[in-house]
Amino acid sequence: MMDSSWLVFTDLDGTLIDHYSYQADAALIAVRALQARQVSIVFNTSKTVDECESLATRLAIAAPFIVENGSAIYLPKYRHSRPAALEIVQRDSASHPRRAIVENTGRYWCIQLGASHTEITAALSELTPHFQFKPLSQSSLEDICELTGLSMSQATRARKRQFSEPLIWQDSQPALDRFRLALSARGLTLLKGGRFYHVLGQTDKGIALEYFKQMHEREHRGKKVTTVALGDSYNDIDMLGAADIPVWIRSPAHDVPTAKHLTTSRVSQLTGPAGWHESIFALIAEQSANHPNAPSTEK
Ligand SMILES: [Mg+2]
């Protein structure tokens, strides 16, 4: 049975919202079906907090949000007291254990898991003489609109990066490999998204999902949750890998990513928000078939 002991983490572009039109209409009935079951929907996206807020308002989905590819979690203060700064799980066992940084940003508690934009900008300016690339935050709004199909106000929100920098890569593949190593030496990582490469701290959407789950279970006195993750692209592999139930949403723009450790993932037939709708209702149907007499709320 699906209820408040479930958390649904979702990518946005190409998953909850259409890759081209940025519309979510086809997924809205499924969104409401989850809300009716008290299941929290948590955006887990490369987008900024401003973009998440704007979309969440439009779709009537409440925060929290995971922004900029796992770089930070935004918890609404009206629903959460100040969270403890927990240890962040590291992919690389050689890295030093780190704790999250918790900050009060007005309406939200911001839990920073990755690097700040200032650290990223400093590293990129060191690398500028050696590689050909264009950071999104240094592109004109007109260029961003042209590249992404976003409106001017959407592009303004997209350019306000706090923890990551999307790049237009204009150099060769061998140069990209050297660039990745140079970033790694500076404590940063490079991730391929649907449209851009993203430079960010030592985090990813999967690390953020694990952190969120741990925090949620602490807040609910150890009550176990079941996590679902839906995504369409390479930057979703870690998120799907960290979830109990990984779901690929088919893309109209590229193949379903191949990830060896995700052989049991479900793959939607339909693309984007229609695939989201299809996948959520398939899960709800399975859960009711498994628990035909389950009570509608947790005891
Ligand atoms: Mg996507």
Side-chain angles (χ1 to χ4, degrees), residues 173-190:
Q173 182 62 43
L176 186 69
D177 296 336
R178 292 200 310 276
F179 182 67
R180 194 186 295 275
L181 287 174
L183 287 174
S184 167
R186 289 164 175 78
L188 299 174
T189 52
L190 184 72

Side-chain angles (χ1 to χ4, degrees), residues 227-280:
T227 55
V228 180
L230 304 104
D232 74 312
S233 192
Y234 301 96
N235 62 335
D236 297 314
I237 290 176
D238 300 309
M239 170 173 71
L240 266 66
D244 300 315
I245 304 177
V247 184
W248 285 118
I249 299 299
R250 209 173 281 280
S251 169
H254 52 76
D255 290 340
V256 172
T258 44
K260 281 190 220 81
H261 63 293
L262 285 175
T263 46
T264 58
S265 310
R266 298 139 186 263
V267 182
S268 69
Q269 290 300 312
L270 302 172
T271 63
W276 206 93
H277 171 104
E278 169 203 336
S279 305
I280 292 296

